Amino acid sequence: MSEKKIHEDQKYIDGLLKNNSFIIQAIYDKFVPKVVNYIKQNSGDSDKAQDIIQDTLITIYNQASEKKLQLTCPFDAYFFLLCKRKWLNELKKSSNKEVTINEAVLSKGDEAQELAFETSVFGEKQALFTEMFQKLGTACKDLLTATFKIKSMEEVAKSLGVTYAYARKKKSLCIGKLTELVQKSPKFNQLNN
């Protein structure tokens, strides 16, 4: 695959990562009204739109901080497609009524759709991981949480009051259990297809 050029709108991703209030305000001023209108036109209201927008911004932040998200398309198209996808997923979840979607507002662009899809899948995988992580026992959750925060296993063992060998063995078992829970989940197969 050829190297894709980073879009000048990468400044919005970088601004989110740095919690730059000017950039965040610019996102709300420039891009949010379009999303709010879309959601209102498609069975939603302002409150639901704000929830979708917040959730999308958190997903983008997580994708950028954990996967070094590089924007290769306009932020407008990327942000709108992510919000749209989250809104459609929300409608599907609560769908006892028929859903009518007004497609006239949609942004076009293959790169935006590709990036939005990747970020959406990332968010869904993260949610699945979190859900399965909560099913682990307290000892596993404490140990894994400590290893996420502290890089040295010696320090992790010391902080938990266990031996280094025990901490390493237990971490391996906990990761194995978490992997098993994730892979047995029906959502896992949906995300990998």
Side-chain angles (χ1 to χ4, degrees):
M1 197 162 108
S2 64
E3 242 345 89
K4 292 181 180 172
K5 186 175 184 278
I6 304 300
H7 196 277
E8 65 186 45
D9 283 356
Q10 180 69 29
K11 65 186 176 194
Y12 295 110
I13 304 295
D14 297 340
L16 273 175
L17 274 174
K18 294 175 183 163
N19 200 19
N20 180 320
S21 59
F22 294 110
I23 294 289
I24 294 169
Q25 189 59 51
I27 290 170
Y28 273 88
D29 292 343
K30 290 181 180 181
F31 309 118
V32 166
K34 180 178 177 180
V35 173
V36 172
N37 285 335
Y38 177 80
I39 291 175
K40 282 180 169 179
Q41 290 175 4
N42 292 290
S43 309
D45 59 31
S46 292
D47 289 340
K48 292 205 184 318
Q50 291 303 324
D51 290 345
I52 293 294
I53 289 159
Q54 284 290 8
D55 193 29
T56 301
L57 289 172
I58 290 168
T59 300
I60 292 171
Y61 176 87
N62 289 337
Q63 174 85 356
S65 64
E66 294 175 27
K67 297 281 189 184
K68 309 296 180 234
L69 175 64
Q70 301 286 298
L71 199 61
T72 55
C73 63
F75 185 82
D76 179 34
Y78 174 67
F79 181 68
F80 182 79
L81 284 168
L82 270 177
C83 289
K84 177 191 171 214
R85 198 176 288 260
K86 283 187 182 293
W87 179 242
L88 293 177
N89 285 339
E90 194 65 34
L91 288 175
K92 280 183 199 168
K93 283 182 196 170
S94 63
S95 173
N96 289 341
K97 57 187 177 204
E98 192 170 309
V99 177
T100 307
I101 301 300
N102 179 356
E103 293 291 341
V105 212
L106 292 182
S107 300
K108 305 258 185 294
D110 290 343
E111 293 211 359
Q113 289 195 23
E114 186 180 321
L115 267 175
F117 177 75
E118 287 174 15
T119 301
S120 176
V121 169
F122 173 82
E124 290 173 28
K125 285 181 177 178
Q126 195 172 36
L128 175 61
F129 171 84
T130 303
E131 180 185 335
M132 295 304 129
F133 183 82
Q134 294 307 317
K135 292 184 177 184
L136 292 174
T138 305
C140 273
K141 286 195 281 194
D142 291 347
L143 176 65
L144 291 178
T145 301
T147 61
F148 298 151
K149 293 177 183 173
I150 306 170
K151 296 301 175 206
S152 159
M153 278 307 290
E154 289 91 357
E155 290 178 37
V156 169
K158 188 176 175 184
S159 74
L160 295 174
V162 296
T163 66
Y164 172 75
Y166 176 81
R168 280 192 53 200
K169 176 73 173 159
K170 186 71 174 169
K171 178 184 175 186
S172 177
L173 293 171
C174 292
I175 290 173
K177 180 66 176 167
L178 181 59
T179 303
E180 180 186 334
L181 287 169
V182 168
Q183 290 176 343
K184 284 185 176 177
S185 167
K187 288 181 190 174
F188 178 75
N189 290 331
Q190 292 171 351
L191 290 171
N192 287 328
N193 289 336

